């Protein structure tokens, strides 16, 4: 019986540990400005991109190209989540609009995650989630990812997909 009382808590924790967002979500534009910079690419980020492209290739899809501007926008959100110490899609509309205006994107989606300690674990978690998997396997042309640690050493991730 104790397991049944803990199940809702475990389900909530699972939902909060990773999330995805697409243009289909109706979100108001938040009054923020993107503070764009492109940090040096980390090994874990390269591994995530490779794992996603390897998955796409394994099911007959084209690999996605990385883009510096997408990386910068992803980093701005990951940095925001680290500062807020919570996972979110806050300001997704702003990121999507920016990429449409500055990267030629027609469509934008993102996956976010928190706490996973390796590229393999975060990509496997995204692939086990229907919405995240749809983004990974979606009709996109480019993507990039940002992975940053907070002060306690826990990872936050933002993976943005665009279709040009």
């Amino acid at each position: 019986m104790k397991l049944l009382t803990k199940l809702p808590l475990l389900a909530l924790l699972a939902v909060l540990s990773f999330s995805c967002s697409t243009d289909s979500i109706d979100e108001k534009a938040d009054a923020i400005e993107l503070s764009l910079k492109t940090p040096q690419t980390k090994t874990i980020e390269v591994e995530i991109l490779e794992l996603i492209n390897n998955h796409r290739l394994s099911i007959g899809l084209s690999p996605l190209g990385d883009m510096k501007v997408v990386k910068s926008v992803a980093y701005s959100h990951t940095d925001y989540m680290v500062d807020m110490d919570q996972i979110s899609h806050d300001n997704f509309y702003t990121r999507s609009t920016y990429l449409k205006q500055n990267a030629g994107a027609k469509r934008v989606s993102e996956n976010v995650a928190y706490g996973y300690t390796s590229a393999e674990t975060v990509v496997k978690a995204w692939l086990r989630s229907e919405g995240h998997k749809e983004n990974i396997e979606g009709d996109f042309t480019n993507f990039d990812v940002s992975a940053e640690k907070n002060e306690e050493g826990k990872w936050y991730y933002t993976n943005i997909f665009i279709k040009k």
Side-chain angles (χ1 to χ4, degrees):
M1 195 64 171
K2 286 185 179 184
L3 178 62
L4 289 177
T5 60
K6 293 180 183 178
L7 251 144
L9 179 61
L10 288 172
L12 179 62
L13 182 61
V15 167
L16 293 177
S17 68
F18 57 91
S19 185
C20 66
S21 185
T22 67
D23 279 338
S24 63
I25 294 175
D26 184 26
E27 183 177 331
K28 293 188 300 186
D30 295 305
I32 69 153
E33 287 194 31
L34 293 176
S35 172
L36 296 182
K37 59 182 177 180
T38 307
Q40 186 171 359
T41 301
K42 297 173 187 66
T43 302
I44 194 169
E45 295 166 337
V46 172
E47 292 171 351
I48 290 168
L49 298 177
E50 287 176 354
L51 287 167
I52 289 172
N53 270 338
N54 287 342
H55 173 76
R56 288 178 60 87
L57 288 166
S58 76
I59 59 171
L61 297 173
S62 298
L64 304 176
D66 59 340
M67 280 185 82
K68 186 175 179 177
V69 66
V70 176
K71 168 79 169 177
S72 296
V73 172
Y75 173 75
S76 74
H77 185 60
T78 305
D79 192 46
Y80 169 84
M81 291 191 302
V82 168
D83 287 347
M84 299 300 293
D85 197 27
Q86 68 181 20
I87 189 171
S88 77
H89 289 289
D90 292 354
N91 311 307
F92 174 75
Y93 180 82
T94 302
R95 288 187 298 286
S96 176
T97 299
Y98 183 87
L99 289 168
K100 288 174 181 175
Q101 293 173 347
N102 296 283
K106 291 181 174 80
R107 191 163 71 99
V108 180
S109 288
E110 74 179 14
N111 291 344
V112 295
Y114 161 80
Y116 296 94
T117 57
S118 72
E120 294 83 10
T121 58
V122 71
V123 172
K124 282 182 182 179
W126 282 333
L127 288 171
R128 284 191 303 266
S129 163
E130 186 177 326
H132 300 94
K133 185 176 181 179
E134 284 177 19
N135 286 342
I136 289 171
E137 296 176 356
D139 182 22
F140 297 102
T141 55
N142 301 86
F143 72 153
D144 223 312
V145 67
S146 171
E148 299 295 326
K149 285 185 180 181
N150 69 6
E151 290 180 2
E152 291 81 38
K154 293 183 181 172
W155 286 100
Y156 284 81
Y157 306 89
T158 304
N159 185 199
I160 297 180
F161 302 84
I162 70 168
K163 178 176 176 83
K164 290 181 84 167

